[in-house]
Amino acid sequence: MPGVVIVGAQFGDEGKGKMTDYLASRADCVVRYQGGNNAGHTVVIGGHEFRLHIIPSGIFYPGKVCVIGNGMVIDPEALFQELDDLLNQRLKLARLCISDRAHLLLPYHVRLDEAEENCRGAERIGTTKRGIGPAYTDKVARLGFRTSELLEPGWEKRLEAMALEKNHILKQLYGSEGDEPEQVIDWMRRYAERMRPFLTDTSLVLAELAAEGKHILFEGAQGTMLDIDHGTYPFVTSSSPTAGGACIGAGVGPTAVNLVLGVCKAYLTRVGEGNFPTELDGPDGEEIRKRGREFGTTTGRARRCGWIDLVMLRYAARVNGLNGLLITKLDVLDSFPAIRLCNAYTCSGGTIREFPASQRLLQTFKPVYEDLEGWQQDTSGVRRYEDLPAAARRFIERIGEVTGLPVMAISVGPDREQTIMLQELSRQAHK
Ligand code: GDP
Ligand code: IMO
Ligand code: MG
């Protein structure tokens, strides 16, 4: 598997961290290509849970390379907190490289995110308030602060000017306070020295690895439906989690990608605002939340739960060019006597089979469900596809049929070991 992209096929939190860690055993390098510490990727190894926000989920393999790509926005305080947490546990880690073209997420971005959200009132996006939107806004407005600036003299002057300008905006537009520019500079100084040795042209690192025939895994954050172009705009994040984003955010061409895998839950969750047709308000939603422990890894917010939406998955298959699906959290549905899959919507009597651009329209859509029998058996100990209950296999096969995608792996628990690898992926992975 020379170049494999792993993308979230839903609204994030699909289990990308788990699947990346699992597949990283066969790769030489793992790259995060977008987002920042709005992400929360959980990896469970031997019952021990690790939560990653900026560092790629391949970090637990010493001898491999982990890359923080140019497409990411990096809060240095959050990064080093995360790294120190890992180092304090005396873990042997992969080699970490940070792109010299990635953008820094600075304290004023966090203040602006908070102020903008408060100002939106009922129109709020429900961001993670980590400063992601304002950091990407600065990047696109050509006002961003790149990591490589820390390698050059005089960065303090520009940071001072930027901090002053943001304070003006915070005060005049939002009536809120910013940090003193001197404080922001001191804060940056604390991390600048430590960051320098990690900085490099990571596109070159990847090109050299690829030239040696090494295998690279591109780890997406967030999910297709949170993509700035293809997601449920404006209830999206400010980057491109979809597969195309991997090339831009890692500095490789499309020819470096051989396989694109979409991670999806056996149901659907969303955190933050913006509707989705299969959302469940009643006891079924509660049961999923409880069994799936559906509370945000980053913010602790309760995730909204619903049945799997195959219209959405078909859309994700198209915009990412998916080659296959990795289905997670099958075990969460173990207790249900019946399981629903949405494969169309209705609106004013008509049937809709394609995901719409308009959020207003989506709000009026009702899901059309297909009901399947549940299996009501514990699947968390199953390791071979043929040992799954017949009803569970039927459910998986139906997802494959409706989306037109091969299901390449199934996850039946949070632990690295609780994974059923289907033959198809074993073949692809050993190519
Ligand atoms: P990510 O953001 O896509 O990496 O996903 P998160 O880590 O935010 O959320 C997924 C949650 O589900 C984490 O708590 C995982 O440990 C957990 N998880 C992953 N796969 C499975 C699974 O197959 N079964 C169960 N029960 N939990 C899982
Ligand atoms: P991982 O990588 C789920 C959501 C927020 C909000 C919207 C915009 O763990 O799957 P932002 O802070 O990015 O401006 O918020 O996107 N969101 C996520 N939801 N998983 C994530 O990451 C998310 N990152 C952002 O809740 O609705
Ligand atoms: Mg997450």
Side-chain angles (χ1 to χ4, degrees):
M1 54 171 202
V4 178
V5 180
I6 296 187
V7 295
Q10 297 164 325
F11 289 111
D13 300 328
E14 298 92 345
K16 298 175 294 294
K18 170 182 166 160
M19 295 315 300
T20 302
D21 165 72
Y22 181 77
L23 293 175
S25 68
R26 295 168 165 77
D28 300 289
C29 172
V30 180
V31 199
R32 268 279 308 270
Y33 57 86
Q34 45 70 235
N37 59 326
N38 49 348
H41 294 183
T42 316
V43 174
V44 182
I45 307 168
H48 196 105
E49 184 177 280
F50 302 94
R51 291 173 176 198
L52 300 166
H53 302 283
I54 298 176
I55 295 174
S57 302
I59 196 69
F60 301 106
Y61 294 93
K64 305 204 176 189
V65 182
C66 276
V67 171
I68 293 178
N70 58 276
M72 288 190 71
V73 288
I74 307 168
D75 177 336
E77 184 174 343
L79 168 67
F80 287 117
Q81 175 75 59
E82 194 173 320
L83 188 58
D84 286 342
D85 279 353
L86 296 175
L87 292 172
N88 289 339
Q89 297 177 63
R90 297 173 186 280
L91 296 164
K92 288 209 168 64
L93 303 177
R95 179 162 74 91
L96 187 66
C97 303
I98 303 174
S99 168
D100 54 9
R101 287 155 171 88
H103 280 246
L104 288 165
L105 191 150
L106 297 153
Y108 48 75
H109 293 130
V110 180
R111 298 236 182 227
L112 280 165
D113 197 0
E114 174 111 31
E116 287 169 10
E117 272 290 269
N118 291 340
C119 186
R120 285 184 195 114
E123 309 283 296
R124 70 185 179 279
I125 297 166
T127 74
T128 57
K129 296 197 176 164
R130 295 295 190 271
I132 303 297
Y136 278 112
T137 302
D138 271 1
K139 171 178 173 173
V140 177
R142 294 159 293 182
L143 294 169
F145 207 92
R146 301 211 298 185
T147 53
S148 58
E149 279 198 58
L150 299 174
L151 303 172
E152 291 157 13
W155 60 262
E156 291 91 343
K157 269 231 109 26
R158 201 171 83 83
L159 188 54
E160 182 183 15
M162 287 296 297
L164 273 173
E165 187 188 310
K166 300 299 186 198
N167 283 354
H168 189 68
I169 295 171
L170 280 164
K171 202 171 187 77
Q172 300 303 319
L173 218 55
Y174 301 107
S176 67
E177 294 297 318
D179 303 297
E180 287 302 320
E182 205 39 55
Q183 270 179 298
V184 179
I185 293 170
D186 283 347
W187 175 90
M188 193 62 253
R189 271 202 198 104
R190 277 207 293 283
Y191 304 108
E193 274 310 307
R194 203 167 164 202
M195 194 173 256
R196 274 187 198 115
F198 292 98
L199 297 182
T200 185
D201 180 347
T202 49
S203 160
L204 184 60
V205 171
L206 296 176
E208 286 171 353
L209 287 170
E212 290 168 27
K214 303 287 192 203
H215 295 180
I216 299 169
L217 209 52
F218 299 85
E219 177 185 10
Q222 289 79 54
T224 303
M225 305 317 293
L226 293 175
D227 185 278
I228 187 77
D229 286 274
H230 304 292
T232 52
Y233 195 90
F235 302 105
V236 292
T237 191
S238 299
S239 66
S240 303
T242 44
C247 295
I248 294 165
V252 302
T255 44
V257 176
N258 307 83
L259 195 68
V260 183
L261 303 176
V263 187
C264 68
K265 282 176 180 163
Y267 47 93
L268 188 58
T269 64
R270 172 166 214 175
V271 59
E273 303 302 318
N275 67 297
F276 62 98
T278 62
E279 182 167 8
L280 293 166
D281 291 326
D284 282 347
E286 266 307 314
E287 172 84 353
I288 293 177
R289 187 172 307 112
K290 192 171 85 213
R291 289 185 53 84
R293 294 164 66 213
E294 294 297 352
F295 297 89
T297 312
T298 297
T299 57
R301 290 179 290 178
R303 295 175 184 148
R304 298 152 58 198
C305 300
W307 297 116
I308 195 164
D309 184 337
L310 301 179
V311 180
M312 193 181 281
L313 279 187
R314 279 200 309 264
Y315 176 75
R318 166 156 56 88
V319 298
N320 289 296
L322 296 183
N323 297 109
L325 284 176
L326 312 174
I327 300 178
T328 62
K329 306 193 92 159
L330 183 72
D331 56 300
V332 173
L333 299 184
D334 285 352
S335 64
F336 285 84
I339 289 162
R340 314 195 91 177
L341 306 92
C342 163
N343 49 27
Y345 309 127
T346 50
C347 177
S348 325
T351 303
I352 288 120
R353 296 192 185 278
E354 297 297 338
F355 203 84
S358 158
Q359 289 315 286
R360 203 170 325 164
L361 213 55
L362 186 68
Q363 223 163 23
T364 65
F365 289 179
K366 298 274 171 281
V368 178
Y369 285 119
E370 179 177 325
D371 290 322
L372 291 184
E373 236 176 73
W375 44 94
Q376 296 191 283
Q377 279 177 56
D378 181 3
T379 58
S380 65
V382 176
R383 298 292 175 271
R384 293 185 322 164
Y385 186 69
E386 50 275 27
D387 296 336
L388 280 174
R393 291 201 306 265
R394 180 73 201 115
F395 172 67
I396 297 289
E397 278 155 23
R398 194 65 194 129
I399 296 172
E401 279 162 17
V402 177
T403 58
L405 292 172
V407 176
M408 294 184 167
I410 300 162
S411 171
V412 289
D415 206 280
R416 191 189 261 179
E417 305 302 321
Q418 292 175 295
T419 312
I420 302 170
M421 175 83 118
L422 276 71
Q423 276 201 334
E424 192 122 13
L425 183 57
S426 312
R427 270 207 306 278
Q428 294 275 8
H430 289 107
K431 258 188 193 166

